[in-house]
Amino acid sequence: MTVMQKKAENPVAHLSARDIEDLGLELDAIRAQVIASRGEHDAAYIRRVIDAQRKLDLASRAVLLFSLFPPAWALGTAGLSVAKILENMEIGHNIMHGQWDWMRDPKIHSTTWEWDNASPADMWKHSHNELHHTYTNVIGKDNDLGYGIMRVDEDQRWMPFYLGQPLWNFINACLFEYGIAAYDLEIAKNWAGRKDNAEFQRQRKAVLGKIRKQMTKDYLVHPLLSGPSALTTLGANLTANLVRNLWTHSVIMCGHFPEGVQTFAKKSIEGETRGEWYLRQMLGSANISGGKLTHLMTGNLSFQIEHHLYPDLPSNRYAEIAPKVQELFERYGLTYVTGSLPRQVGSAWKKVIRLSLPNGFLANLKSARRPVRVAAPAADASGAGRPFMERIAA
Amino acid sequence: MTTVLPAYAPWRTATSALRDGAARFAQLVATPLVPADYLDLVSPLRSGAELRGRIVAVQPETLNAATVVIKPGRGWRGHVPGQYVRIGVDVEGVRQWRAYSLTSPAGRPDGCITITVKAMPDGVVSNHLVHEAQPGTIIQLDQARGEFTLQDARPDRVLFVTAGSGITPVMGMLRDRGDQLADVVVIHSAPTQEDVIFGAELRWLAATGRIRLIERHTDADGMLDVAELDELVPDLASREIWACGPTGLLDALEQHVQAAGLAGRLHTERFRPTVLVTGEGGTVTFSGSGTVVQAAGDTPLLAAGEAAGVLMPSGCRMGICFGCVVPLREGAVRDLRTGELTTAAPGDGVLIQTCVSSAAGTCDIDL
Ligand SMILES: Cc1cc2nc3c(=O)[nH]c(=O)nc-3n(C[C@H](O)[C@H](O)[C@H](O)COP(=O)(O)OP(=O)(O)OC[C@H]3O[C@@H](n4cnc5c(N)ncnc54)[C@H](O)[C@@H]3O)c2cc1C
Ligand code: FES
């Protein structure tokens, strides 16, 4: 099975095993520099973001007490949407990655944080940190890749079910937090009878408990507090959650789905070295270009490549290391996939639509190249580079 | 036998029910956070909050020592002079907990407490407090603890033997109860006259006849030899003794007093544990957080875990308070003070003090 996305050329054919290990060492050095310089400035940053987010959340909910009045509805809904996005992305996602554990503040720690989302923190940490970040873009192992309901590579056999995948993807986007909870629960695995039932029941209870609390807050308590504005506040909260879901889904789709991002076969990662692991992260992720606000609102997942190389470095430092990482891409002849948010979202959607159809169906769609088997690497004199390449091209 | 029935107080039941209800409701409003997370934004020192304090002033005492004046939060329950308080300060973004003796008398009118810190060479927290801490900073606090106090005994004759920063708990006692102690001798050692923390105040107490002060400047006069004590304080045998200072001094004093048959009279406070041995080191897994570290044989597990970002409970950091106790799920650790080996098989969950234990092979800690 071809795993690199259909490309006329194999993107790593020119790298020897030695090159890949050197690349790993250079990436390790960048990591070490950041760790050595973590300090007060970084701690102040995350505290500032948390402080601002909580104040925005409080203020927005206060404004929504008067949501019967349309300008208050608009202002409160916008504020609450932003607060929820910040909480999920720059704060929750990154804290649960352990990016701030070094501060040893029990209130800002991966083991104590609970986020404003349907999926309980400990379950999300397992499926995200352990599965997605370990098996990045490995088909069949990485749930984030198509969430198990979509066809993400030309080599996956096409079935009529996939015709609906643009719709499935849109529904998943609208209900994203529940989608996340569902696949953190590994419902599909449970259906297939491959999950320990007692464990599944325990987790199901945890998810339902969390969802109940979340819903009680957003759809019952806060509306009731709004008195005459109860219905409009309910609407505002529904809207804010929807906006948050659509936004986070879009950002996450941009991370691994746009054209140019590679996917990998299960077999290709057996016995992977550290250098090869780094290389897979580099080829399997895509960035979003933009200004400071874009980076903040995407939780710095706009630096998806840097985040995948260093999932536990503080997010505020990705911007600073991005030029160094990009320089490595250039020096090692790799493509740093990046683009504006609209472009990357468009690209990802195009791929979703393309793959919903049998291969080659839209031969005239520009990016739908005919499948070309990745060339076996021209073995260099030493024969170095073969194993990884063979695994990739196998 | 008489039984005291609680007075019938329906209003009290009603208010407490109301309060419980309000708390539960606030929790529903704040989830997934807790109401305190929002209240902390505006009032970190309020009653009911986790105990914190605000640094009000940092006053230099000597070139490398300073007194930090702290306004504790509403939950502060007060202290008995001689006790210490644990504080958590963020140094370069990292939360560090250390213990410091309280140097203020109990119940200062302004409600503040003080600690007095001597900067240690390379000391992370002590240097920060002495040279960098800014008034206005919020720090974490714990309630005062410690047995090194005058208790209720009001001995007629008291001897304080201190050295360096060891004067701190004693100063707290003198400031609080100085007037009530009839006969006090203070023997204090420091490298030079300028290095004597609270030098002016001690000399003033001596000048006004409240204490007899024997100042020892060790750069010029050499270290105090406990054998000199009998000469310096001829009525030693009739005194209750409180001593605080470096390990060497305290160990020698303990032996001396024991030999004189006065062991029950001596109270000591140590600022750091006496390390006897080192362990073998090994791979330590903190199974709760999935963190794995290589710990050296002379590194307490507490320090090894903290360095890796694990949230380690801690207290005095020197083996006396048991605030750092956690279950060892499997493996072997060595007590740095005694060399004693503790092992655990899976399922044992043997409780160990991480601040004075180091890895003696592979271990798995339940954190
Ligand atoms: C009950 C109790 C009361 C205390 N009261 C006071 C007090 O009133 N005033 C005060 O200044 N300190 C006091 N201490 C000591 C204090 O808690 C810290 O250990 C001290 O400030 C050093 O911390 P640091 O972070 O600066 O040093 P660290 O960064 O932890 O250590 C730096 C270096 O200093 C050495 N070191 C650490 N502690 C000492 C020490 N006490 N003597 C000599 N070397 C040391 C270490 O081995 C290391 O090499 C007390 C300790 C205890 C347990
Ligand atoms: S921290 Fe006090 S005994 Fe370990």
Side-chain angles (χ1 to χ4, degrees):
Chain A
M1 172 165 106
T2 305
V3 280
M4 288 284 175
Q5 214 193 310
K6 304 311 167 235
K7 285 235 167 191
E9 272 168 43
N10 181 330
V12 294
H14 58 289
L15 295 179
S16 69
R18 181 66 200 281
D19 290 337
I20 295 173
E21 292 324 297
D22 285 348
L23 173 66
L25 292 178
E26 295 203 53
L27 285 165
D28 279 343
I30 296 178
R31 174 186 178 81
Q33 278 170 9
V34 175
I35 288 184
S37 62
R38 271 186 320 210
E40 206 170 316
H41 182 76
D42 305 290
Y45 170 79
I46 191 65
R47 292 217 168 90
R48 210 163 52 232
V49 175
I50 292 174
D51 187 84
Q53 188 275 337
R54 287 185 184 164
K55 285 175 181 158
L56 179 62
D57 176 278
L58 276 179
S60 307
R61 294 207 188 258
V63 170
L64 286 176
L65 296 177
F66 311 97
S67 56
L68 210 47
F69 181 51
W73 189 92
L75 188 69
T77 307
L80 189 60
S81 304
V82 171
K84 279 179 176 275
I85 288 169
L86 280 175
E87 198 280 341
N88 276 193
M89 310 212 80
E90 182 65 338
I91 301 175
H93 168 268
N94 294 339
I95 290 177
M96 289 190 291
H97 256 295
Q99 293 185 3
W100 303 98
D101 284 8
W102 58 275
M103 289 164 56
R104 292 187 220 153
D105 181 342
K107 297 213 179 297
I108 309 180
H109 200 272
S110 64
T111 56
T112 59
W113 194 268
E114 189 52 80
W115 65 336
D116 185 19
N117 197 291
S119 184
D122 52 348
M123 283 175 52
W124 180 83
K125 280 185 288 191
H126 169 73
S127 69
H128 184 81
N129 294 359
E130 288 167 36
L131 301 183
H132 168 59
H133 275 269
T134 311
Y135 298 113
T136 310
N137 282 27
V138 175
I139 295 175
K141 280 260 181 189
D142 179 3
N143 264 338
D144 275 30
L145 202 67
Y147 312 111
I149 52 167
M150 295 203 300
R151 184 169 175 251
V152 293
D153 189 280
E154 261 82 4
D155 282 346
Q156 273 176 293
R157 201 161 53 84
W158 182 83
M159 292 186 289
F161 169 80
Y162 290 128
L163 278 175
Q165 86 176 18
L167 181 64
W168 316 149
N169 196 40
F170 179 70
I171 294 172
N172 188 29
C174 295
L175 300 172
F176 196 41
E177 62 173 318
Y178 304 106
I180 294 177
Y183 73 78
D184 288 353
L185 252 181
E186 302 178 299
I187 287 182
K189 199 168 155 188
N190 186 59
W191 281 339
R194 286 185 292 119
K195 196 171 162 120
D196 174 46
N197 197 47
E199 172 73 356
F200 179 76
Q201 291 309 331
R202 191 189 62 76
Q203 293 187 339
R204 194 183 63 103
K205 246 196 175 139
V207 171
L208 291 180
K210 179 90 192 283
I211 292 178
R212 193 183 60 237
K213 279 194 200 159
Q214 290 287 110
M215 288 202 161
T216 309
K217 170 188 64 169
D218 277 341
Y219 305 141
L220 192 69
V221 175
H222 283 281
L224 283 181
L225 281 174
S226 307
S229 297
L231 278 180
T232 44
T233 295
L234 175 71
N237 292 354
L238 272 165
T239 310
N241 280 329
L242 177 69
V243 169
R244 185 268 317 272
N245 287 347
L246 289 172
W247 177 263
T248 49
H249 180 270
S250 301
V251 170
I252 286 158
M253 238 187 25
C254 290
H256 301 290
F257 223 66
E259 301 289 354
V261 173
Q262 315 293 336
T263 54
F264 305 86
K266 272 185 202 172
K267 264 206 283 185
S268 73
I269 63 161
E270 282 164 17
E272 196 177 48
T273 65
R274 179 145 181 86
E276 290 166 355
W277 181 85
Y278 270 136
L279 191 57
R280 176 157 55 87
Q281 307 301 328
M282 294 168 88
L283 299 173
S285 314
N287 280 7
I288 300 168
S289 57
K292 280 209 163 112
L293 190 64
T294 308
H295 299 317
L296 176 68
M297 294 307 290
T298 57
N300 278 294
L301 289 183
S302 46
F303 295 107
Q304 186 78 241
I305 297 172
E306 288 74 13
H307 173 59
H308 262 267
L309 290 170
Y310 312 115
D312 59 350
L313 289 188
S315 59
N316 63 323
R317 304 296 284 275
Y318 291 146
E320 156 196 330
I321 57 175
K324 298 182 197 167
V325 171
Q326 204 166 353
E327 190 267 333
L328 283 182
F329 269 80
E330 269 163 38
R331 201 141 41 75
Y332 285 82
L334 301 167
T335 314
Y336 190 83
V337 181
T338 181
S340 68
L341 185 68
R343 212 189 91 182
Q344 298 299 79
V345 172
S347 170
W349 271 101
K350 218 151 90 183
K351 188 160 152 191
V352 169
I353 294 166
R354 191 185 79 224
L355 290 169
S356 70
L357 301 165
N359 287 350
F361 192 83
L362 292 178
N364 57 347
L365 199 70
K366 207 163 138 217
S367 53
R369 301 237 176 84
R370 286 199 62 74
V372 176
R373 179 154 284 277
V374 174
D380 56 12
S382 66
R386 280 203 73 91
F388 184 59
M389 286 315 311
E390 278 165 10
R391 269 180 268 145
I392 281 196
Chain B
M1 200 178 104
T2 49
T3 319
V4 184
L5 286 172
Y8 179 60
W11 61 90
R12 211 174 291 154
T13 337
T15 41
S16 86
L18 210 62
R19 201 171 326 125
D20 286 356
R24 260 201 301 276
F25 183 73
Q27 184 54 60
L28 288 179
V29 173
T31 194
L33 299 179
V34 290
D37 291 328
Y38 290 104
L39 297 173
D40 285 350
L41 292 176
V42 283
S43 177
L45 302 185
R46 71 189 187 283
S47 80
E50 256 170 49
L51 191 57
R52 302 185 182 89
R54 178 181 279 116
I55 297 181
V56 175
V58 181
Q59 300 155 345
E61 296 285 352
T62 66
L63 275 183
N64 60 5
T67 291
V68 185
V69 184
I70 300 163
K71 172 88 186 173
R74 300 274 294 275
W76 175 250
R77 292 200 292 265
H79 76 284
V80 180
Q83 285 189 314
Y84 64 90
V85 62
R86 293 200 318 123
I87 66 170
V89 283
D90 293 338
V91 184
E92 295 191 1
V94 182
R95 176 82 34 96
Q96 308 273 3
W97 284 90
R98 295 289 185 274
Y100 290 99
S101 303
L102 287 148
T103 49
S104 48
R108 242 171 82 137
D110 62 359
C112 288
I113 53 174
T114 66
I115 57 172
T116 303
V117 182
K118 184 174 150 201
M120 296 288 160
D122 300 326
V124 176
V125 175
S126 57
N127 278 289
H128 174 83
L129 289 173
V130 173
H131 300 300
E132 275 146 41
Q134 293 299 323
T137 309
I138 297 284
I139 59 172
Q140 316 298 310
L141 280 187
D142 195 2
Q143 298 293 347
R145 315 201 203 184
E147 312 292 313
F148 188 70
T149 61
L150 290 172
Q151 290 121 11
D152 288 332
R154 216 159 291 169
D156 290 339
R157 295 194 171 127
V158 177
L159 169 63
F160 293 120
V161 183
T162 59
S165 55
I167 186 66
T168 50
V170 167
M171 200 64 207
M173 299 181 201
L174 286 174
R175 284 172 173 168
D176 191 63
R177 302 265 291 269
D179 293 345
Q180 299 162 28
L181 297 171
D183 181 350
V184 179
V185 179
V186 178
I187 304 182
H188 179 67
S189 304
T192 68
Q193 178 162 0
E194 288 71 46
D195 289 317
V196 176
I197 299 172
F198 310 128
E201 190 171 348
L202 286 169
R203 285 163 214 139
W204 174 78
L205 285 173
T208 53
R210 313 260 277 284
I211 62 172
R212 180 157 83 88
L213 177 66
I214 302 170
E215 246 185 83
R216 176 83 169 214
H217 303 140
T218 53
D219 276 0
D221 310 332
M223 303 283 251
L224 177 77
D225 180 350
V226 288
E228 297 170 52
L229 276 181
D230 301 308
E231 200 180 308
L232 291 169
V233 192
D235 56 356
L236 183 71
S238 64
R239 287 181 185 267
E240 194 81 14
I241 311 167
W242 277 266
C244 181
T247 307
L249 173 70
L250 296 185
D251 288 352
L253 195 60
E254 269 168 6
Q255 277 167 19
H256 186 79
V257 170
Q258 184 121 36
L262 302 170
R265 293 274 181 80
L266 176 66
H267 313 264
T268 56
E269 178 82 317
R270 290 168 191 268
F271 285 178
R272 49 190 320 212
T274 323
V275 172
L276 186 73
V277 291
T278 58
E280 291 76 354
T283 307
V284 183
T285 305
F286 295 92
S287 36
S289 55
T291 311
V292 181
V293 295
Q294 292 300 325
D298 58 354
T299 309
L301 292 167
L302 175 60
E306 284 183 343
V310 180
L311 282 182
M312 307 284 297
S314 73
C316 63
R317 308 181 76 87
M318 57 160 294
I320 51 172
C321 76
F322 292 82
C324 62
V325 169
V326 292
L328 173 68
R329 288 161 55 114
E330 191 178 354
V333 301
R334 203 173 277 286
D335 189 314
L336 290 163
R337 301 163 302 177
T338 61
E340 192 189 335
L341 194 69
T342 303
T343 56
D348 287 359
V350 181
L351 297 179
I352 55 161
Q353 284 169 283
T354 58
C355 70
V356 286
S357 305
S358 71
T362 307
C363 19
D364 184 334
I365 289 175
D366 201 359
L367 262 184

